[in-house]
Amino acid sequence: MSDAAPAYAGPDRILSGMQPTGGLHLGNYLGALKGWVELQNSGSECFYCVVDMHALTVAHDPSLLPGRVRAAAAAYMAAGVDPDRSAVFAQSAVPAHAELAWIFQCTARLGWLERMTQFKDKAGKDAERASVGLFTYPVLQAADILVYKATHVPVGEDQKQHLELSRDIAARFNRDFCGGEMKFPLPEPVIQTSGARIMSLKDGTAKMSKSDPSDNSRINLDDDADTIARKIKKAKTDPEPLPSELAGLNDRPEAKNLVGIYAALTNATAEQVLAEYGGQGFGAFKPRLAEAAVEFIAPISEEYARLVADPAEIDRKLAKGAERAAEVAAPVIAEARDLVGYWKPGA
Ligand code: TYM
């Protein structure tokens, strides 16, 4: 449906966001942040928010939330997001997100949301007890993107379905309220070729995630060199040596994951990694992987430590980012209000 629509005439814009779940991990970096920085450095207009409104969809401690927002913003910046070039801000600081989310809740269909696999995963067996916000979470995500008329969204593979929903919402709104005119773009995911799906170090079939109770399942962006080396040494593997061909990784999820991480860290393809390490055991490969991870993370964690030590400076950057974001969102929300027919004097 959406692909047949006329082209969107607005400028290219980038938006993405992460939940403030404490520290970020290597999956966040390789799957998303790396792409954020590349897009920023290619000269695109970028908006990178910390999605603290999404954090309310599950039980959370209000006293910890502001610090976690600062920590996430510091991690963005430590990874190379430059707040002078990209707007870095807290989602809740720009109320237009919430305002557009309500309009989109009336655009999205129940059936579309019922298909979202992430809700099913997060709500678990007792979905009746999940918050309504957890269910409508992807609608707020669509508003995050479209309130800036963002055209491209750098994310890991797990967000693809949410992006499809954003496209469906934009297309439906354009059809229902704009006579088919492309007022909202249909945002495209930008997904890394390697790193889009980093798995747990303990289970190659589960995503590397902050919510895994075992800290050994992930490499955090603020882990020190010894911790990184220890976690990689303990990472689950199988007894076979690495294969020389990609096909040899089929049915070997842990081996595939470690090769994928190495490839993403060294900007190589999995084929190139296997051409170098095929036939070698994990005893030889893991130390190389640990070296690559340490070399890569050390400068990020150093910069992160420097930035978090000055929360007032992070606050100044977040306030400036929110101001810039609110400026761009203002005409978009004003237009959406008019299009749905909200009252205003003389309307
Ligand atoms: P979140 O906070 O779970 O994850 C942030 C980003 O990190 C990516 N990611 C991964 N990539 C590869 N391997 C992994 N193991 C891994 N774990 C996480 C995610 O794909 C994501 O890009 N719903 C979003 C937050 C959000 C958002 C938005 C994103 C809210 N509004 C608007 C883009 C645009 C989420 O929960 O991401």
Side-chain angles (χ1 to χ4, degrees):
M1 162 183 76
S2 47
D3 289 336
Y8 172 71
D12 277 2
R13 269 195 197 135
I14 316 298
L15 174 125
S16 201
M18 295 202 186
Q19 298 202 57
T21 36
L24 302 184
H25 54 73
L26 194 60
N28 296 133
Y29 182 84
L30 295 175
L33 266 176
K34 196 167 166 235
W36 296 14
V37 175
E38 283 164 9
L39 285 163
Q40 164 194 280
N41 293 347
S42 72
S44 303
E45 189 183 9
C46 300
F47 297 82
Y48 294 134
C49 59
V50 182
V51 296
D52 53 348
M53 291 163 68
H54 279 112
L56 268 54
T57 58
V58 292
H60 79 287
D61 180 342
S63 69
L64 297 180
L65 195 51
R68 289 188 166 172
V69 170
R70 286 185 197 102
Y76 293 2
M77 294 187 278
V81 172
D82 173 358
D84 290 328
R85 282 192 281 167
S86 303
V88 175
F89 60 101
Q91 177 194 34
S92 65
V94 184
H97 290 239
E99 196 173 352
L100 190 60
W102 175 253
I103 293 177
F104 284 169
Q105 286 196 51
C106 302
T107 301
R109 305 290 100 181
L110 204 61
W112 301 355
L113 288 175
E114 276 168 355
R115 286 198 284 277
M116 295 293 116
T117 54
Q118 202 151 352
F119 173 75
K120 289 178 200 159
D121 293 345
K122 284 197 180 172
K125 288 196 185 76
D126 208 0
E128 291 285 307
R129 286 180 172 275
S131 72
V132 174
L134 189 66
F135 186 66
T136 61
Y137 176 118
V139 179
L140 177 58
Q141 182 163 347
D144 296 338
I145 298 165
L146 293 166
V147 82
Y148 304 103
K149 296 198 173 184
T151 51
H152 295 86
V153 185
V155 280
E157 210 167 73
D158 61 336
Q159 295 300 314
K160 244 173 146 172
Q161 197 187 32
H162 287 167
L163 260 290
E164 275 160 27
L165 183 90
S166 298
R167 294 166 61 86
D168 287 342
I169 290 176
R172 176 80 186 234
F173 188 93
N174 289 340
R175 196 191 77 192
D176 286 355
F177 298 107
C178 316
E181 194 191 327
M182 293 284 282
K183 291 275 186 196
F184 283 112
L186 309 186
E188 295 283 351
V190 182
I191 297 193
Q192 297 286 313
T193 30
S194 43
R197 196 166 168 74
I198 302 294
M199 310 310 277
S200 156
L201 298 180
K202 301 260 116 198
D203 173 1
T205 64
K207 195 173 74 165
M208 183 178 283
S209 159
K210 192 69 195 175
S211 52
D212 191 315
S214 165
D215 194 55
N216 285 332
S217 70
R218 63 186 158 262
I219 295 175
N220 301 307
L221 291 185
D222 56 358
D223 279 346
D224 61 27
D226 290 346
T227 309
I228 294 172
R230 180 177 50 75
K231 286 179 176 175
I232 290 178
K233 199 168 172 202
K234 288 179 80 173
K236 186 176 169 194
T237 46
D238 55 40
E240 303 297 319
L242 284 169
S244 309
E245 306 282 328
L246 219 49
L249 290 175
N250 290 343
D251 305 320
R252 295 181 64 187
E254 284 80 21
K256 188 174 179 193
N257 186 36
L258 296 188
V259 168
I261 294 176
Y262 189 79
L265 286 172
T266 55
N267 276 326
T269 61
E271 285 94 335
Q272 288 167 330
V273 177
L274 292 181
E276 193 178 346
Y277 289 98
Q280 299 193 35
F282 286 100
F285 180 65
K286 277 181 166 180
R288 298 286 82 74
L289 175 59
E291 265 168 38
V294 167
E295 191 182 318
F296 187 84
I297 289 177
I300 298 179
S301 68
E302 259 168 52
E303 181 61 3
Y304 173 80
R306 193 186 70 76
L307 291 166
V308 284
D310 190 352
E313 181 56 23
I314 299 176
D315 284 348
R316 274 191 287 279
K317 294 191 161 119
L318 284 169
K320 196 179 103 188
E323 212 176 291
R324 163 87 191 116
E327 248 171 50
V328 176
V332 181
I333 194 68
E335 185 183 34
R337 290 178 62 100
D338 285 349
L339 286 165
V340 298
Y342 279 166
W343 170 87
K344 66 179 179 187

